[in-house]
Amino acid sequence: MSVSQILALFDAFDSISVDSVVHYVSNLQQNDGSFYGDKWGEVDTRFSFCAVACLALLVRYYILEYAHKHAHSTASIANAQGCM
């Protein structure tokens, strides 16, 4: 996510293959909308936040439908919105 933030600050998305980044991030998404955070398959709400923020900076909102459903499924009184 940090790279996408820096590129957004300098309006430099033309220096990378945005489609490749979107492909990589979207491949980390699971069927329930959550995202893997690493190659070992750990799933955590913080990874979902980073993926959503990255895709939002890249203006690829259409990929976020399942992430939205996952965020709502993690909501509870104890943890509010699963740290999101």
Side-chain angles (χ1 to χ4, degrees):
M1 184 175 98
S2 296
V3 171
S4 59
Q5 290 173 313
I6 292 168
L7 292 172
L9 283 171
F10 292 102
D11 194 23
F13 285 124
D14 58 343
S15 65
I16 63 166
S17 171
V18 172
D19 290 334
S20 294
V21 174
V22 170
H23 178 73
Y24 175 78
V25 173
S26 63
N27 278 339
L28 295 173
Q29 189 172 28
Q30 306 309 296
N31 291 334
D32 67 354
S34 63
F35 286 84
Y36 285 144
D38 53 34
K39 65 182 179 181
W40 296 282
E42 181 183 1
V43 176
D44 193 293
T45 307
R46 63 193 160 153
F47 303 135
S48 296
F49 171 81
C50 290
V52 167
C54 182
L55 293 171
L57 287 169
L58 296 171
V59 192
R60 297 301 194 272
Y61 301 106
Y62 59 90
I63 299 187
L64 302 177
E65 178 183 352
Y66 292 112
H68 177 267
K69 291 177 183 177
H70 174 70
H72 282 284
S73 73
T74 63
S76 71
I77 293 174
N79 67 359
Q81 197 62 30
C83 300
M84 281 184 93

